[in-house]
Amino acid sequence: MAVPIAVLDCDLLLYGRGHRTLDRFKLEDVTDEYLVSTYGFPRQFIYYLVDLLGATLSRPTQRSRAISPETQILAALGFYTSGSFQTRMGDAIGISQASMSRCVANVTEALVERASQFIHFPEDEAAVQSLKDDFYGLAGMPGVLGVVDCTHVVIKAPNAEDLSYVNRKGVHSLNCLMVCDARGVLLSAETHWPGSLPDCTVLEQAALTSQFETELHKDGWLLGDSSFLLRTWLMTPLHIPETPAEYRYNMAHSATHNVIERTLRTIRSRFRCLDGSKGTLQYSPEKSSHIVLACCVLHNISLQHGLDVWSSPATGHMEQPEEEYEQMESVDSEACRIRQELLLTHFT
């Protein structure tokens, strides 16, 4: 005889029937201080996310008790900023741990869908010039359109046979290629690269390279460290500076490039799910990549709303595989000529 199988709703078991949406937690019932300490962001920022993502998160569902966009967003922010699906987080907003997981997935995909809206290079001439001026004001390095670097985010092993995500420290990770402006706003974020790939290979294969070689401005460049090859659009430091001009160039390069290093540290500080202190991201590489990108989108939105993430103290364990690379020098004669001209024109 066939035995009927009942599909149980975790939230239904916990809270019973009644409302159509799970709205036990109300933003207006708590202080901004509580919201910042628990979910990482103040009330008005959360309201903005509800307006931005509400339609997507309210898509029709067969579930009799859909979770409201507001509750989904709080659940996701709680995970991003704490790195944990702890029961207390779900209890605070009245949902189960299983529902917490679904909320994180829903909000992550909604943010990823909007990544190009918030992460992009400026296009009009005035904005591009402003970008260069801001960088020049840091240390006198002209023509800079962005600073680029890679960062590793630790993930669970996809499977025993796949070694492509094992980095140089022997742990599974994503190698994420990031570019930011002088304020730390991300201009590009490619979060899907396997951890086994060195930074130079990631850049070689990245969409960013195609952009700069075929589309973007020919009168400026990115700044990258010595893990990258010198290119006509990517200025790297000199391996062994010998002249005063070369020393000045390297010092200006280092002071300017420091912006991306600082930005990556503070993203990890705010979004603790990325910093390794709570363990690895327990998702497939694709889903983990989307979580990293969602945090990047939130980082840019927070800067747009005047939330200075650099003012937040860096706390916790920052698990970040250091890239062990050999100094790389380009054989691109045109790139060498451009860097030499930069030295003579601005640093002699």
Side-chain angles (χ1 to χ4, degrees):
M1 182 179 69
V3 178
I5 298 174
V7 178
L8 300 180
D9 185 316
C10 296
D11 296 312
L12 187 60
L13 289 175
L14 287 172
Y15 302 109
R17 297 188 180 277
H19 301 290
R20 290 184 176 276
T21 58
L22 299 174
D23 286 326
R24 296 170 199 80
F25 182 94
K26 297 292 185 182
L27 282 175
E28 58 269 23
D29 293 340
V30 296
T31 65
D32 254 14
E33 289 75 13
Y34 172 81
L35 290 171
V36 171
S37 66
T38 307
Y39 304 103
F41 295 94
R43 187 186 327 274
Q44 290 306 314
F45 182 87
I46 296 170
Y47 280 144
Y48 173 81
L49 292 181
V50 172
D51 290 340
L52 177 70
L53 308 178
T56 301
L57 299 177
S58 298
R59 287 168 179 164
T61 175
Q62 293 181 349
R63 293 169 58 82
S64 61
R65 292 165 58 79
I67 302 176
S68 70
E70 182 178 293
T71 301
Q72 292 185 63
I73 288 168
L74 287 171
L77 292 179
F79 169 71
Y80 297 147
T81 57
S82 74
S84 173
F85 282 125
Q86 292 178 5
T87 303
R88 65 173 183 81
M89 185 67 69
D91 288 347
I93 52 179
I95 62 174
S96 66
Q97 183 172 336
S99 291
M100 278 279 297
S101 182
R102 288 195 298 271
C103 291
V104 171
N106 292 342
V107 174
T108 295
E109 293 310 306
L111 288 167
V112 167
E113 288 175 6
R114 290 160 177 79
S116 61
Q117 177 183 346
F118 294 100
I119 303 175
H120 57 81
F121 284 90
E123 296 180 355
D124 65 275
E125 291 185 11
V128 171
Q129 187 57 52
S130 177
L131 190 64
K132 294 179 182 179
D133 292 344
D134 288 345
F135 275 118
Y136 188 79
L138 294 179
M141 180 69 77
V144 180
L145 298 169
V147 284
V148 59
D149 206 351
C150 286
T151 187
H152 286 257
V153 174
V154 180
I155 63 172
K156 74 172 183 178
N159 56 63
E161 292 76 28
D162 188 353
L163 300 179
S164 65
Y165 290 90
V166 179
N167 62 36
R168 297 181 71 127
K169 288 197 170 183
V171 297
H172 291 80
S173 68
L174 297 169
N175 195 1
C176 306
L177 181 71
M178 309 283 192
V179 181
C180 75
D181 69 10
R183 295 193 307 118
V185 175
L186 293 172
L187 305 174
S188 177
E190 299 186 35
T191 61
H192 62 283
W193 297 102
S196 66
L197 294 180
D199 294 359
C200 60
T201 304
V202 169
L203 182 62
E204 182 72 31
Q205 299 178 10
L208 179 69
T209 293
S210 177
Q211 280 183 297
F212 266 83
E213 291 186 345
T214 62
E215 302 173 18
L216 288 180
H217 320 281
K218 304 298 183 182
D219 57 345
W221 37 73
L222 302 178
L223 297 187
D225 64 22
S226 298
S227 63
F228 300 114
L229 283 170
L230 178 71
R231 299 169 181 264
T232 57
W233 49 268
L234 178 66
M235 294 292 103
T236 60
L238 289 140
H239 180 30
I240 305 177
E242 297 177 346
T243 68
E246 290 175 346
Y247 277 103
R248 284 192 288 268
Y249 166 85
N250 270 13
M251 290 178 64
H253 187 291
S254 177
T256 308
H257 186 265
N258 180 257
V259 174
I260 184 67
E261 298 167 5
R262 189 181 180 191
T263 297
L264 294 176
R265 286 196 302 269
T266 53
I267 288 174
R268 287 172 172 274
S269 176
R270 167 155 277 175
F271 302 106
R272 299 292 298 281
C273 67
L274 309 181
D275 74 7
S277 65
K278 301 293 183 180
T280 63
L281 283 176
Q282 296 297 305
Y283 299 93
S284 67
E286 181 182 9
K287 289 184 177 179
S288 296
S289 168
H290 285 187
I291 288 173
V292 180
L293 186 56
C295 291
C296 291
V297 172
L298 288 172
H299 168 78
N300 275 11
I301 295 175
S302 68
L303 289 179
Q304 287 183 9
H305 284 75
L307 303 179
D308 182 7
V309 295
W310 285 354
S311 67
S312 302
T315 57
H317 173 60
M318 301 300 177
E319 178 60 39
Q320 165 67 352
E322 292 291 336
E323 191 72 25
E324 299 173 9
Y325 53 80
E326 295 181 2
Q327 177 72 31
M328 305 183 69
E329 280 298 335
S330 176
V331 295
D332 185 336
S333 59
E334 179 62 12
C336 292
R337 184 196 66 77
I338 290 174
R339 186 170 65 179
Q340 188 62 29
E341 182 178 321
L342 180 60
L343 279 163
L344 293 174
T345 304
H346 293 280
F347 296 96
T348 299

